[in-house]
Amino acid sequence: MSKKLSSVLALVLALVMVLSLAACGNKPAGTDGSSGAETGSAAETQSNGETQPGGETQPGGEVSDVDSYTYNTYSTSLGNNWNPHTWETNADDAVNGYITSPFVTMSILNSEDGVYQWVYEMATEVNDVTADHRDDLTKYNVLLAEGDTVDTAEKGYVFEIKLNPDAKWANGEAITADDYIYSMKALLDPAMKNYRANLYVAGESALAGAEAYYYAGSTAYIDSEGAWAMADLTAGEDGQYVTAEGYPMYIAVNFPLAWTSGNTLNDYVEAYGDAYFDVTNWETLMGMADENGLVPLTDENLALFTPVTTTVADWGETEADLPNYFAYAKTFEDADYDETVGCYKVDDYTIIYVNAVKIDFNYFLTSLTSTWLVYEDLYEAGKDTSGELVTTNYGTSPETTMAYGPYMLESLQADKQMVFVQNPEWYGWEQGEDGTLVSYTNFEVDGQQVQQYRATRIVIDVMDDSAAKQAFLKGQLSDWTPTPEDLVAYAASDQLYKVDETYTMSFFFNTDVDMLKAMDESKGNTNSVVLSNINFRKAFSLAIDRAEWVTATQGYKPAFSLMNGLYYYDIYNDPESSYRNSEQAMQAIVNLYGVEYGEGKAYKTLKEAHDSINGYNLTEAKELMATACKELVDAGLYTEGEDIYIRVGYKKGALDSADNNQMALMNGYINAAVEGSGFGKVTLEAVGNIDDRYSAVPGGEFAIGYGAWGGAAFYPFRNMQVYCDPDQYSINEAADWDPKTETLTINIDGQDVTMTWQQWSGALIGSGPYAGADFETKLNVTAKMEEEYLGKYYRIPLAGSTSCSMLAYKVGYYTDEYNIMYDFGGLRLMHFNYTDAEWNEFVASQGGTLNYE
């Protein structure tokens, strides 16, 4: 049993543009969408051609008079670094959404039927040229998929990108292949170690040779993630152990590790001391650590380290777990970009991109929805070589930025306001008869080219929620994100838009008996040890009336599974390929809840049975509670009749009325289930202002946590990794089980195959044994894993979150039918119902305050 602490990670595939808001209210939301992790807000658009008071529109929402059109929005903070090589926050990335253009993006092909299309921007064409460039597979050390050889590989590795010859920088200079190659070389520069290089050094769209160049001439210290046991290592002449590859091994005493969820072991020793560790040798070990927090792995040093984690029972580890605290040093030889990296120029408007591993063409296009392009002169002028690493101030101010998108940054007042204006050198603009800049799509939407990017200015002001609400009602903002409390007042508004997100809100548990006992003694709980019993947890789940529970918070929908209807397994080829609607996924949930169907049953078909599930069965919950009580009493873990009090790690911020309402309902549900079971009264207390509840639960601070996982909507076959692969993700349920050792048997094509849960979670992706399997096989595996994992009741799904926002009468989206691939058309296809002057007149006519209820 590992004591790894956990944190929620985002797996979101970002395909929608800046200002892609979602729809709700009394207009249908259409296909579900995806976004952030807790209750959000969004905005609703007008239908095409819909007329609002004071703003006459033509078909497509086109305003009859041409004038200035300002889109006013807000943020709690502004971006301060939008350098595509180093940006970190969403606010940073939002700036790039205005001032840059990707190689490709997605937009509407047919809004009535919800059909999307790939749209070329900075590229005019992308082709898979693997069969003609097999020599690149060898030159750049590509890792070939099973069944492919250098002589037979046909597709999936080498791609030709034809560049847009009309693309220019904001200063009028042409953008050519040289700019892209310079930018990639700068991104991967080993002297800079740029943060965003990780997108190209590793992952499905990693660039061949990028890792070797990025680390060239340096030694990288890497978490071994338990890959080598002591038996795999040999001691060198100096006594330090090395791998068969010659990598020197170290004990990581103050070095971030996956095993400790990105924290260092020293963090936990300082936090828990001798309650969890034998600290006799700790000061000595820390004194031996180098600047990286590493101690050479020798017999003597291992003898000092072993008792630290293996002696005190509460830490729960043995000598078999020691390799998880090892790291190794890998030295990379000097490398030349041109000879090492598979991104090179063919001619002025053609580049080749060699992927490090095989990738589907549509997934490669998805990787091209972001870019690495920077302007050389400003990038070089901003370099600072005084530190250990070279840095640049590129993309930190209007003066250090060169735009090449439809807008450019006109002004920036730190912590106050950003203003964007039209970039006259963007390839998409035409000059209208009145001298204004106008743009029409280079693709057809609903059978015709339509006007795009109608906003002439975009203003972002820094505001808190309260100030933003007042500004929106006064007509000073074009959008507003209501708080959960505000959503109640605007639930019926035609301007409120809501769409589903991929995130599933859940209770997750710490079921380890020893840790639960410790929490009963020192963390304020009473009898939280009851959570160690699976029948108690299952009864808890079945006692919850999710249909009622979601009414406590605006924007929630009942959830009974790990993944909702937003997950698609073949979205690029089949827009109806919903994982949740597949026979395998429906059968998994029908099995979980024990619903029968067929001849002579209440439900004739699988779909009828699946659609009947609401997760609520108080009768069964009561029976299971009685069984759980007897089992716990017999095990000496609980005294019949005693009350139960459990603190729930609920929220990063302060609790609000919606949170309290949720918990009040939850207490009612669980007490209805324990009535007559032998258990005493159960009290669940929500606790807020928790920095990281995802770590606090497996760390022994809370027995129950409340939070969400979501994202990766277009490849559900990787999602089980967040529950099963501790080498890739911090497992919220780390105190409950070890997926690296527990096994699962799944029937594949008539053969029973047994692997660990961790192995299964990676079997369908990358170089996994079933990565190339057909969808039927992948659906079978994923659904079986989802069913079996939910059956452990380490996590109870509760609700799916939604994103909501209000949109001002001033503007409207192209369509009010949401689609996960292109939202509502975004800022690109947004129309204006008023010019700035007309809007001011309209707001004044309403007395300066607008009514959106």
Side-chain angles (χ1 to χ4, degrees):
M1 190 263 307
S2 146
K3 295 294 183 288
K4 275 190 255 199
L5 302 189
S6 52
S7 60
V8 72
L9 301 176
L11 300 176
V12 180
L13 178 61
L15 288 176
V16 292
M17 292 189 57
V18 173
L19 297 180
S20 307
L21 306 180
C24 84
N26 48 16
K27 294 187 180 178
T31 307
D32 293 336
S34 103
S35 192
E38 300 203 12
T39 303
S41 313
E44 185 177 83
T45 174
Q46 310 305 309
S47 297
N48 259 359
E50 183 174 348
T51 301
Q52 286 293 339
E56 186 174 343
T57 62
Q58 303 167 358
E62 189 168 339
V63 179
S64 56
D65 295 324
V66 178
D67 201 339
S68 62
Y69 301 97
T70 302
Y71 192 93
N72 295 90
T73 187
Y74 71 101
S75 177
T76 55
S77 62
L78 297 177
N80 55 30
N81 169 31
W82 44 94
N83 176 355
H85 296 178
T86 56
W87 69 270
E88 294 188 23
T89 69
N90 290 336
D92 292 338
D93 193 37
V95 177
N96 283 320
Y98 300 114
I99 67 174
T100 71
S101 291
F103 289 110
V104 297
T105 188
M106 285 183 176
S107 193
I108 302 169
L109 177 62
N110 182 318
S111 62
E112 182 176 351
D113 296 332
V115 181
Y116 75 92
Q117 61 184 314
W118 283 111
V119 173
Y120 285 104
E121 298 276 6
M122 295 296 282
T124 60
E125 194 176 344
V126 178
N127 299 300
D128 188 330
V129 295
T130 300
D132 298 325
H133 286 261
R134 291 185 181 130
D135 55 332
D136 284 341
L137 305 180
T138 301
K139 179 176 180 179
Y140 300 111
N141 296 312
V142 170
L143 179 63
L144 296 175
E146 186 175 349
D148 284 339
T149 69
V150 171
D151 296 324
T152 64
E154 291 290 333
K155 60 182 181 179
Y157 299 101
V158 186
F159 300 90
E160 175 189 73
I161 304 172
K162 293 286 189 180
L163 303 176
N164 187 338
D166 296 324
K168 297 179 181 178
W169 297 103
N171 64 0
E173 294 180 15
I175 298 175
T176 70
D178 291 328
D179 294 296
Y180 281 98
I181 302 307
Y182 164 79
S183 299
M184 180 58 79
K185 186 175 181 179
L187 170 63
L188 300 175
D189 188 345
M192 300 186 77
K193 294 293 188 290
N194 285 310
Y195 175 62
R196 288 294 161 185
N198 63 348
L199 299 175
Y200 302 90
V201 169
E204 291 178 336
S205 58
L207 175 61
E211 181 188 55
Y213 184 70
Y214 182 73
Y215 290 113
S218 66
T219 297
Y221 293 91
I222 305 170
D223 180 358
S224 75
E225 299 185 356
W228 291 280
M230 285 302 297
D232 301 322
L233 309 174
T234 57
E237 292 183 2
D238 60 355
Q240 184 172 4
Y241 281 89
V242 298
T243 68
E245 298 83 0
Y247 304 150
M249 298 297 293
Y250 296 84
I251 304 169
V253 295
N254 198 20
F255 180 87
L257 295 167
W259 190 245
T260 48
S261 299
N263 300 296
T264 72
L265 180 59
N266 186 55
D267 292 332
Y268 298 122
V269 174
E270 288 187 347
Y272 299 107
D274 57 11
Y276 286 99
F277 303 98
D278 182 335
V279 297
T280 306
N281 303 325
W282 191 249
E283 188 174 340
T284 300
L285 286 164
M286 286 295 292
M288 298 167 61
D290 61 17
E291 66 273 13
N292 298 302
L294 301 171
V295 175
L297 177 60
T298 65
D299 288 329
E300 294 79 11
N301 294 343
L302 184 61
L304 289 172
F305 178 75
T306 298
V308 174
T309 59
T310 62
T311 302
V312 181
D314 282 347
W315 190 242
E317 293 182 356
T318 68
E319 292 189 16
D321 296 304
L322 291 175
N324 294 294
Y325 297 97
F326 295 170
Y328 66 96
K330 182 177 180 180
T331 300
F332 292 81
E333 297 179 358
D334 288 334
D336 175 76
Y337 177 91
D338 293 335
E339 296 299 319
T340 306
V341 181
C343 183
Y344 60 88
K345 170 184 175 180
V346 175
D347 58 43
D348 284 347
Y349 291 101
T350 309
I351 62 174
I352 293 290
Y353 189 107
V354 184
N355 218 62
V357 296
K358 191 170 188 176
I359 187 171
D360 175 82
F361 183 72
N362 282 295
Y363 284 102
F364 181 71
L365 288 184
T366 300
S367 74
L368 297 184
T369 57
S370 61
T371 184
W372 62 85
L373 189 61
V374 295
Y375 184 66
E376 181 176 355
D377 289 352
L378 289 178
Y379 196 92
E380 292 294 328
K383 281 187 173 179
D384 181 351
T385 59
S386 62
E388 183 177 346
L389 293 174
V390 177
T391 60
T392 180
N393 67 358
Y394 183 80
T396 57
S397 70
E399 296 76 25
T400 61
T401 302
M402 187 66 72
Y404 58 93
Y407 299 96
M408 59 185 184
L409 183 58
E410 180 185 60
S411 64
L412 169 63
Q413 300 179 59
D415 301 321
K416 186 176 182 181
Q417 185 186 77
M418 273 183 164
V419 178
F420 300 88
V421 296
Q422 291 171 315
N423 168 18
E425 296 295 337
W426 182 58
Y427 63 86
W429 294 123
E430 303 172 8
Q431 195 164 51
E433 293 180 1
D434 58 357
T436 60
L437 295 174
V438 179
S439 183
Y440 290 84
T441 57
N442 62 350
F443 54 93
E444 290 190 350
V445 180
D446 292 330
Q448 62 181 340
Q449 290 184 305
V450 299
Q451 192 173 344
Q452 61 181 347
Y453 297 117
R454 301 188 192 195
T456 54
R457 275 168 41 105
I458 299 163
V459 179
I460 305 176
D461 287 300
V462 174
M463 296 183 184
D464 60 22
D465 291 338
S466 176
K469 177 181 179 180
Q470 296 307 312
F472 180 77
L473 296 177
K474 292 179 180 179
Q476 297 166 0
L477 288 176
S478 303
D479 63 70
W480 167 55
T481 302
T483 64
E485 289 82 0
D486 286 321
L487 280 174
V488 176
Y490 295 99
S493 174
D494 283 340
Q495 298 304 113
L496 177 66
Y497 283 55
K498 178 173 75 175
V499 292
D500 293 349
E501 299 179 320
T502 60
Y503 291 86
T504 299
M505 308 302 298
S506 306
F507 276 154
F508 55 96
F509 302 102
N510 184 326
T511 66
D512 180 80
V513 172
D514 291 334
M515 297 184 79
L516 290 169
K517 288 179 178 179
M519 283 185 265
D520 286 341
E521 294 175 359
S522 62
K523 301 299 181 183
N525 291 346
T526 303
N527 287 317
S528 66
V529 74
V530 297
L531 293 175
S532 65
N533 184 279
I534 188 173
N535 285 315
F536 184 95
R537 301 194 304 273
K538 182 177 181 179
F540 187 177
S541 178
L542 292 174
I544 301 169
D545 184 348
R546 290 164 174 81
E548 179 187 41
W549 188 76
V550 296
T551 63
T553 303
Q554 288 291 322
Y556 274 10
K557 295 184 176 182
F560 323 107
S561 56
L562 297 177
M563 289 180 275
N564 61 17
L566 290 180
Y567 289 86
Y568 294 85
Y569 57 88
D570 192 22
I571 186 67
Y572 296 115
N573 301 305
D574 180 3
E576 296 183 355
S577 60
S578 166
Y579 165 74
R580 192 75 276 146
N581 291 336
S582 70
E583 288 190 7
Q584 293 89 334
M586 288 193 291
Q587 187 68 58
I589 303 307
V590 166
N591 292 345
L592 180 72
Y593 288 97
V595 182
E596 297 182 344
Y597 66 94
E599 194 65 33
K601 306 294 183 182
Y603 305 104
K604 302 301 182 187
T605 66
L606 170 61
K607 181 168 174 45
E608 288 178 3
H610 178 267
D611 292 349
S612 74
I613 294 171
N614 61 15
Y616 181 57
N617 189 332
L618 184 58
T619 300
E620 185 178 357
K622 284 177 167 288
E623 294 172 354
L624 288 168
M625 281 296 185
T627 299
C629 184
K630 184 177 186 307
E631 290 172 344
L632 287 161
V633 171
D634 289 347
L637 295 174
Y638 175 73
T639 299
E640 187 171 347
E642 288 188 350
D643 288 345
I644 299 166
Y645 181 87
I646 305 175
R647 298 165 69 247
V648 181
Y650 215 72
K651 194 173 182 181
K652 185 179 182 70
L655 299 178
D656 55 35
S657 59
D659 302 321
N660 293 326
N661 291 339
Q662 286 177 340
M663 192 51 74
L665 287 171
M666 199 62 69
N667 274 297
Y669 300 146
I670 195 168
N671 278 290
V674 301
E675 184 178 355
S677 67
F679 287 119
K681 178 183 178 182
V682 180
T683 301
L684 306 176
E685 181 195 3
V687 180
N689 294 314
I690 304 169
D691 184 54
D692 184 1
R693 60 197 184 280
Y694 300 99
S695 295
V697 172
E701 294 295 320
F702 293 93
I704 306 175
Y706 175 60
W709 276 108
F714 303 144
Y715 203 72
F717 306 129
R718 71 157 60 89
N719 274 46
M720 291 305 299
Q721 281 193 310
V722 303
Y723 310 102
C724 304
D725 191 348
D727 291 339
Q728 298 294 325
Y729 301 101
S730 298
I731 307 300
N732 299 166
E733 299 80 11
D736 303 344
W737 72 319
D738 184 0
K740 298 179 81 167
T741 59
E742 275 198 39
T743 61
L744 175 67
T745 299
I746 301 178
N747 189 277
I748 305 291
D749 296 330
Q751 297 274 332
D752 283 346
V753 179
T754 300
M755 292 194 288
T756 68
W757 281 79
Q758 181 189 39
Q759 290 169 334
W760 276 120
S761 72
L764 309 180
I765 62 177
S767 58
Y770 300 107
D774 56 36
F775 286 129
E776 285 299 301
T777 298
K778 291 183 176 182
L779 287 169
N780 288 337
V781 171
T782 302
K784 182 65 173 177
M785 292 188 73
E786 185 181 26
E787 176 189 345
E788 294 291 331
Y789 179 78
L790 284 171
K792 294 177 179 293
Y793 293 93
Y794 294 149
R795 175 175 291 259
I796 297 176
L798 299 171
S801 62
T802 61
S803 176
C804 299
S805 185
M806 299 286 290
L807 201 63
Y809 295 128
K810 182 180 183 180
V811 294
Y813 287 118
Y814 179 87
T815 176
D816 61 2
E817 294 295 328
Y818 179 80
N819 185 285
I820 193 172
M821 302 301 277
Y822 54 69
D823 65 271
F824 299 98
L827 176 68
R828 179 178 205 141
L829 301 183
M830 178 178 283
H831 64 264
F832 280 73
N833 297 315
Y834 303 83
T835 65
D836 289 345
E838 290 168 346
W839 179 244
N840 290 336
E841 291 176 5
F842 172 66
V843 173
S845 74
Q846 304 300 306
T849 301
L850 302 176
N851 180 15
Y852 286 96
E853 294 186 21

